[in-house]
């Protein structure tokens, strides 16, 4: 199993893609596979603020429910509205159409604390 | 036979871990005067002696011949079919089963209950029931906080004080502020919750307004106006309703209520010293994941046959642990079954007759008291089937009438200290013209 290069990962199985000061966040394909069929995603509110490693939402599968932990701090600028009706996008395309939210980064230095693809691959293998 | 899963060594290890010497030390905070050793329990009696003692105690009960007591619990006719159905051995548990799907009949009965609650309230989803109306309302307050991510709730003081205390208790743990919205209790006042107070107190920091319909005084609140006012602040409306009134009053789903709760006792559950009763809760489908309690859903099995399941369990504590929507993972199944049976037995027409008769008799009652010059209505607002009447020297006369087998409602200052010399009188379909005549004669005689 390998994961996209250029992303940052947390030990809690979230990923971050940074473009300028905007960070797109989601959960990894590993997390989605472990959860099984995802039936509901509780999205954060646009305008709300996230704190690194604090809970900001919930994913629910047919067999479990897990908190989403913020990989970075910042203000939510967009949420993936498609997930309200198509939560299964997390299973089918965790790193693409299954993105959860975008945030305006509060502190880019927080990224240094996260894992790269190689380290995350090791963590999950 | 006794069974203890812990050996002496296990216990010693656990006590050492928490740093106390003995199991008794864990209970050191309990005053000695209330520990079992302090109980003065008489020597054992024979079965015959116990029977005699219980009969002697039961003889002290005084069942009133005529009662106008309501204030949250109402005397209605309970058709015989209700006890027949709930007495069936298949339903002989108050719990949703631990392996629920093997008990299809139990699940179906809960599903029917939920469907009836939805029909009655005009809402999209109803829970499998709660302990009582007060705890359902308190759960609704917490639910509103989760939905809005706010931590203050507003509650009208025209909601029964006991319900308000339960809401305050539930809110005290998670640190939720409870803001009171003062009802207009002034002389010549409406007895309702003023809209301007709602607009002033329900701001952008408040999760919900809790208002009762009818309110504790029987008054009909302008719920649709409240809904608009609180929605303007992004808050929710929690409507605590009296269920039989819904046969003639607007369904909360039509006036914008976000969460509806009710004490279900009037639906086929007898007055039995305060319980067991049953709490109803209904909401919109969009907020179902924040609903507390159990939910039964209908589905199809592999062969296409209809079946019932406990659904959306990821909200609940056996899955979600400390983050569950509620610490309640059971329901009041037997009382919910009684309510469902009652609603099916009376039907929409029957329930409308119950509500109509109750409201009509309440008007006869108020008119009879006013016409005889014995008192007058304390509040100006339209009312459903309960009415506050100012009667001079209310407490003394209430006590005197009780001696005659007449319960003249509730002396209102027992729950509203500021409302002196008022009786809160309830009527139901069981209230006869003769009952009203006896009350009037009793009030005349104690003038």
């Amino acid at each position: 199993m390998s994961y996209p290069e250029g992303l940052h990962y947390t030990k809690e199985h979230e990923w971050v893609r940074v473009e300028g000061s905007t960070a797109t966040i989601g959960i990894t394909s590993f997390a989605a596979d472990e959860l099984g069929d995802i039936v509901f995603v509780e999205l954060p509110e646009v305008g709300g603020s996230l704190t690194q490693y604090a809970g900001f939402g919930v994913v629910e599968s047919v067999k479990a429910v897990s908190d989403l932990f913020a990989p970075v701090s910042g203000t939510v600028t967009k949420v993936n509205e498609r997930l309200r009706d198509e939560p299964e996008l997390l299973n089918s395309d965790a790193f693409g159409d299954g993105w959860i939210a975008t945030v305006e980064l509060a502190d880019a230095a927080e990224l240094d604390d996260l894992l790269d693809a190689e380290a995350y691959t090791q963590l999950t293998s | 036979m006794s069974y203890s899963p812990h050996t002496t060594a296990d216990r010693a290890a656990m006590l050492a871990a928490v740093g106390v010497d003995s199991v008794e030390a864990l209970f050191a905070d309990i005053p000695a005067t209330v520990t079992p050793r302090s109980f003065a329990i008489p020597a054992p009696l024979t079965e015959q002696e116990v029977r005699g003692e219980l009969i002697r105690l039961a003889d002290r009960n005084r069942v009133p011949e005529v009662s106008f007591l309501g204030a949250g619990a109402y005397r209605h006719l309970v058709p015989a079919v209700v006890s027949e159905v709930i007495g069936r051995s298949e339903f002989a548990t108050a719990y949703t089963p631990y392996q629920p799907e093997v008990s299809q009949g139990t699940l179906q009965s809960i599903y029917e209950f939920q469907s009836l609650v939805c029909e009655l309230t005009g809402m999209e989803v109803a829970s499998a029931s709660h302990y009582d109306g007060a705890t359902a309302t308190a759960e609704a307050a917490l639910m509103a906080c989760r939905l809005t991510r706010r931590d203050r709730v507003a509650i009208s003081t025209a909601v029964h004080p006991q319900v308000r205390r339960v809401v305050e208790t539930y809110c005290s743990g998670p640190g939720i502020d409870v803001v009171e919205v003062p009802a207009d209790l002034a002389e010549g006042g409406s007895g309702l919750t003023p809209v301007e107070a709602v607009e002033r107190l329900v701001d952008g920091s408040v999760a919900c307004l809790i208002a009762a319909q009818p309110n504790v005084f029987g008054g009909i609140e302008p719920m649709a106006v409240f809904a608009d006012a609180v929605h303007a602040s992004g808050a929710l409306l929690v409507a605590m309703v009296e269920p039989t009134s819904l046969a003639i009053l607007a369904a909360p789903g039509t006036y914008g209520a976000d969460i509806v709760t009710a004490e279900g006792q009037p639906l086929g559950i007898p007055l039995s010293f305060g319980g067991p009763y049953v709490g109803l809760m209904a909401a919109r489908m969009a907020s179902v994941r924040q609903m507390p309690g159990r939910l039964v859903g209908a589905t199809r099995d592999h062969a296409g046959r209809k079946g019932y399941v406990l659904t959306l369990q990821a909200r609940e504590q056996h899955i979600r642990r400390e983050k569950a929507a509620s610490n309640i993972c059971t329901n009041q199944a037997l009382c919910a079954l009684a309510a469902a049976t009652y609603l099916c037995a009376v039907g929409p027409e029957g329930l409308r007759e119950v509500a109509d008769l109750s409201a009509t008799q309440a008007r006869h009652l108020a008119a009879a008291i006013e016409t005889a010059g014995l008192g007058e209505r304390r509040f100006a607002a339209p009312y459903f089937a309960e009415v506050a009447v100012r009667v001079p020297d209310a407490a003394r006369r209430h006590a005197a009438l009780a001696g005659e087998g007449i319960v003249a409602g509730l002396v209102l200052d027992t729950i509203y200290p500021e409302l002196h010399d008022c009786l809160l009188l309830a009527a139901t379909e069981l209230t006869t013209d003769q009952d009203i005549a006896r009350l009037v004669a009793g009030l005349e005689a104690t003038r």
Side-chain angles (χ1 to χ4, degrees):
Chain A
M1 196 73 165
S2 69
Y3 302 98
E5 294 291 338
L7 304 190
H8 302 272
Y9 297 89
T10 68
K11 291 173 183 165
E12 305 283 359
H13 311 290
E14 286 87 15
W15 56 261
V16 192
R17 177 183 293 118
V18 179
E19 288 150 306
S21 62
T22 299
T24 304
I25 62 185
I27 63 167
T28 66
S29 54
F30 176 84
D33 288 348
E34 288 290 304
L35 283 164
D37 291 338
I38 291 168
V39 294
F40 177 68
V41 185
E42 182 195 279
L43 299 168
E45 274 180 15
V46 173
S49 60
L50 306 190
T51 305
Q52 191 177 31
Y53 303 131
F56 73 92
V58 164
V59 278
E60 187 182 310
S61 71
V62 290
K63 65 176 183 183
V65 60
S66 293
D67 285 318
L68 295 166
F69 295 98
V72 288
S73 305
T75 305
V76 178
T77 49
K78 260 193 295 186
V79 297
N80 187 354
E81 295 290 342
R82 282 182 70 188
L83 294 177
R84 295 191 199 279
D85 293 323
E86 302 171 80
E88 63 275 13
L89 289 173
L90 264 64
N91 293 109
S92 62
D93 193 7
F95 295 105
D97 288 344
W99 65 279
I100 292 171
T102 62
V103 300
E104 186 70 17
L105 273 178
D107 179 7
E110 285 179 350
L111 296 166
D112 298 341
D113 199 36
L114 303 179
L115 308 174
D116 62 13
E118 191 188 334
Y120 184 69
T121 305
Q122 278 179 8
L123 179 79
T124 54
S125 58
Chain B
M1 186 180 81
S2 68
Y3 171 75
S4 170
H6 303 121
T7 64
T8 310
D10 289 340
R11 289 175 188 220
M14 287 190 283
L15 290 170
V18 296
V20 297
D21 300 337
S22 64
V23 173
E24 288 71 31
L26 294 171
F27 302 100
D29 292 330
I30 299 174
T33 51
V34 296
T35 57
R37 239 166 285 156
S38 71
F39 300 163
I41 298 174
L45 301 177
T46 65
E47 180 176 335
Q48 189 184 356
E49 287 167 328
V50 171
R51 199 181 291 266
E53 175 64 9
L54 292 178
I55 288 170
R56 188 186 67 76
L57 287 171
D59 278 347
R60 293 172 57 191
N61 285 323
R62 289 287 168 269
V63 179
E65 295 160 39
V66 178
S67 176
F68 297 90
L69 188 56
Y74 301 92
R75 189 175 60 108
H76 287 286
L77 181 81
V78 180
V81 67
V82 174
S83 57
E84 181 66 24
V85 169
I86 68 171
R88 289 187 63 98
S89 60
E90 298 92 328
F91 292 119
T93 171
Y95 282 90
T96 40
Y98 286 106
Q99 192 190 349
E101 281 75 26
V102 299
S103 303
Q104 284 293 306
T106 297
L107 291 190
Q108 183 177 358
S109 76
I110 296 170
Y111 183 81
E112 302 293 350
F113 167 81
Q114 294 174 178
S115 303
L116 288 159
V117 172
C118 286
E119 201 174 327
L120 201 56
T121 57
M123 301 298 281
E124 293 167 344
V125 58
S127 75
S129 73
H130 301 265
Y131 292 140
D132 57 21
T135 57
T137 305
E139 290 269 14
L142 304 185
M143 177 177 166
C145 290
R146 291 192 296 272
L147 286 166
T148 58
R149 303 179 201 214
R150 298 176 181 178
D151 59 2
R152 298 175 78 206
V153 301
I155 188 164
S156 162
T157 61
V159 173
H160 197 297
Q162 292 172 350
V163 174
R164 281 188 273 141
R165 283 195 59 192
V166 174
V167 170
E168 284 161 11
T169 301
Y170 269 58
C171 288
S172 65
I176 294 166
D177 281 341
V178 180
V179 182
E180 291 194 339
V181 182
D184 176 11
L185 307 185
E187 293 292 333
S190 65
L192 302 180
T193 315
V195 175
E196 64 78 20
V198 170
E199 287 169 342
R200 181 164 44 84
L201 292 165
V202 180
D203 58 21
S205 71
V206 172
C208 66
L209 169 72
I210 303 172
Q213 180 76 317
N215 69 23
V216 67
F217 310 115
I220 312 278
E221 298 271 15
M223 299 296 269
V225 182
F226 294 165
D228 289 345
V230 304
H231 290 161
S233 300
L236 307 179
L237 177 63
V238 175
M240 185 183 190
V241 298
E242 192 289 309
T244 63
S245 73
L246 295 178
I248 55 176
L249 297 180
T254 65
Y255 57 68
D258 299 282
I259 308 172
V260 181
T261 64
E263 171 50 67
Q265 176 276 326
L267 306 175
I269 295 159
L271 296 165
S272 46
F273 210 69
Y277 289 169
V278 58
L280 278 48
M281 181 188 285
R284 303 191 180 283
M285 195 55 92
S287 47
V288 68
R289 280 189 163 77
Q290 295 301 340
M291 273 188 101
R294 316 225 85 171
L295 288 172
V296 175
T299 186
R300 301 256 165 215
D301 73 1
H302 65 99
R305 294 169 299 200
K306 192 164 189 178
Y308 300 91
V309 294
L310 278 187
T311 191
L312 292 168
Q313 292 185 70
R315 302 168 294 113
E316 297 188 75
Q317 62 178 349
H318 58 290
I319 294 178
R320 196 105 196 262
R321 300 296 170 183
E322 76 280 7
K323 290 182 175 145
S326 168
N327 66 334
I328 306 297
C329 57
T330 183
N331 74 328
Q332 275 281 24
L334 197 67
C335 291
L337 179 64
T341 310
Y342 174 86
L343 286 169
C344 292
V346 301
E349 270 307 311
L351 196 67
R352 194 169 302 120
E353 287 173 19
V354 167
D356 266 339
L357 267 170
S358 303
T360 302
Q361 291 304 78
R363 277 147 189 77
H364 285 170
L365 174 62
I369 290 170
E370 289 186 333
T371 307
L374 292 162
E376 70 281 327
R377 283 177 56 208
R378 176 64 174 76
F379 299 120
Y383 57 101
F384 170 55
E386 195 153 20
V387 59
V389 177
R390 190 203 322 266
V391 175
D393 216 5
R396 179 187 61 80
R397 296 161 84 182
H398 186 275
L401 287 172
E404 306 291 316
I406 300 168
V407 179
L410 179 74
V411 180
L412 205 42
D413 63 11
T414 57
I415 57 170
Y416 284 88
E418 66 271 47
L419 294 175
H420 297 297
D421 285 334
C422 288
L423 297 175
L424 183 62
L425 299 165
T428 70
E429 81 284 5
L430 295 180
T431 305
T432 64
D433 293 345
Q434 291 89 328
D435 292 344
I436 294 170
R438 279 197 63 182
L439 175 69
V440 169
L443 289 173
E444 288 274 12
T446 54
R447 211 196 271 262

